Amino acid sequence: MRSDLDEIPEHCTVEVAMEILGGRWKLAILRKLLDRTHRFGELMRAMHGVTQRMLTRQLRELEADGLVTRTVYREVPPKVEYSLTEAGRSLEKIVLLLDEWGEWYLDRARRPAHDQTGKSRG
Amino acid sequence: MRSDLDEIPEHCTVEVAMEILGGRWKLAILRKLLDRTHRFGELMRAMHGVTQRMLTRQLRELEADGLVTRTVYREVPPKVEYSLTEAGRSLEKIVLLLDEWGEWYLDRARRPAHDQTGKSRG
DNA sequence: CGGTATCCAATGCGATACTG
DNA sequence: CAGTATCGCATTGGATACCG
């Protein structure tokens, strides 16, 4: 799925971004990690609704795509920390804008739709 | 799919954005429409690889989400134009940033990986 | 604590054929 | 030209159980 990035033509590089960020929990993970490094369990609790399997898979994909670093501490009990790579951090602006937009959209969708032709946000 | 936006908790509004923008062709469509209004066939040719069915579906979803306007001209041969609503245009910055990021990422992934924090993908 | 393995449901998405 | 209908495969994601 992510192995044929080289074949994606120049005129749709947004798709490249979506290939990588399109997973259900990926943006939420990145947003969490923007604040600070998190342990697996912290992310688990923070995302509410994600399963272990899915969180693991999404984290592994982000790691494979070079956006997230996985650090294993061989102690008892085990401890694994996730943080952003430089590439991951390069998404900060986008992630925050998306978050902001989602909030705006939600708020807008909840209104009575009397003023929805005119947007009122910077 | 998009009907339960109200139940998405506050702490992950990025997910709201992804619910709406997550489709395979949606960002590419929005990027095209940022430039100007396009006819169905124009989009079809511009996206290279999309099927009529998928393009139709993605456009209808964008329309349902209030990001795209569909204008039908009852003439022969038929003509349908798609353009952005204000809500759609409010995504301009994000779409352009994503496009830019995808380009940067692609270029980075193609380099010899001498300076990459994350792993290279061949 | 932080995973894997296995099974299963939903749906995203593509191919093809047909239509006003 | 701009769709719709039908089919079917591949991927995504969830539930549950077990493991180092």
Side-chain angles (χ1 to χ4, degrees):
Chain A
M1 153 195 180
R2 214 166 285 82
S3 51
D4 51 4
L5 286 184
D6 291 326
E7 302 175 16
I8 294 180
E10 318 301 329
H11 53 276
C12 53
T13 41
V14 281
E15 288 186 45
V16 175
M18 293 314 288
E19 290 266 346
I20 293 167
L21 308 173
R24 164 122 189 228
W25 308 96
K26 291 188 180 176
L27 271 301
I29 292 172
L30 291 179
R31 218 200 68 156
K32 271 293 164 196
L33 295 185
L34 275 178
D35 297 338
R36 60 172 174 83
T37 293
H38 279 75
R39 295 184 57 174
F40 184 86
E42 288 178 324
L43 288 175
M44 200 56 190
R45 285 184 295 276
M47 324 259 318
H48 127 275
V50 72
T51 57
Q52 272 193 338
R53 169 187 144 100
M54 282 316 299
L55 184 53
T56 300
R57 284 178 54 162
Q58 304 268 298
L59 282 168
R60 290 291 145 81
E61 290 190 13
L62 288 172
E63 188 190 7
D65 286 329
L67 303 184
V68 159
T69 301
R70 179 169 177 264
T71 308
V72 181
Y73 297 87
R74 304 283 291 156
E75 31 181 84
V76 179
K79 169 175 157 187
V80 179
E81 284 188 342
Y82 294 90
S83 56
L84 292 183
T85 64
E86 176 202 346
R89 219 177 314 277
S90 75
L91 280 162
E92 172 160 17
K93 197 171 184 178
I94 291 174
V95 173
L96 293 180
L97 278 175
L98 274 170
D99 193 37
E100 192 181 316
W101 187 85
E103 196 171 359
W104 168 79
Y105 185 88
L106 253 192
D107 187 54
R108 181 175 174 279
R110 282 169 176 153
R111 288 176 184 282
H114 68 286
D115 185 38
Q116 295 203 358
T117 34
K119 75 166 194 181
S120 53
R121 111 184 206 280
Chain B
M1 157 190 180
R2 216 164 288 83
S3 51
D4 51 4
L5 286 185
D6 292 326
E7 302 175 15
I8 295 179
E10 317 301 328
H11 53 273
C12 52
T13 41
V14 280
E15 289 187 45
V16 176
M18 293 314 288
E19 289 267 346
I20 293 167
L21 307 173
R24 164 120 190 233
W25 308 96
K26 290 189 182 176
L27 270 302
I29 292 171
L30 291 179
R31 217 200 69 156
K32 271 294 164 195
L33 295 185
L34 275 178
D35 297 337
R36 60 172 174 84
T37 293
H38 279 74
R39 296 185 56 173
F40 184 86
E42 288 178 325
L43 288 174
M44 199 57 191
R45 287 185 293 275
M47 324 263 312
H48 128 274
V50 71
T51 57
Q52 276 191 334
R53 169 185 142 101
M54 281 316 301
L55 184 54
T56 301
R57 284 178 56 160
Q58 305 267 298
L59 282 168
R60 290 291 144 82
E61 289 190 15
L62 289 172
E63 188 190 6
D65 286 328
L67 303 185
V68 159
T69 300
R70 179 169 178 267
T71 309
V72 181
Y73 298 86
R74 306 281 293 153
E75 29 180 85
V76 179
K79 170 176 158 187
V80 179
E81 284 189 343
Y82 294 89
S83 56
L84 293 183
T85 64
E86 283 183 61
R89 220 177 315 277
S90 75
L91 280 163
E92 174 161 14
K93 197 171 183 177
I94 292 174
V95 172
L96 293 180
L97 278 174
L98 274 170
D99 192 36
E100 195 180 314
W101 186 87
E103 197 170 358
W104 168 78
Y105 183 89
L106 254 190
D107 187 54
R108 181 174 174 280
R110 282 169 175 154
R111 287 174 184 283
H114 68 287
D115 183 38
Q116 294 190 12
T117 319
K119 79 166 206 185
S120 92
R121 285 127 25 92

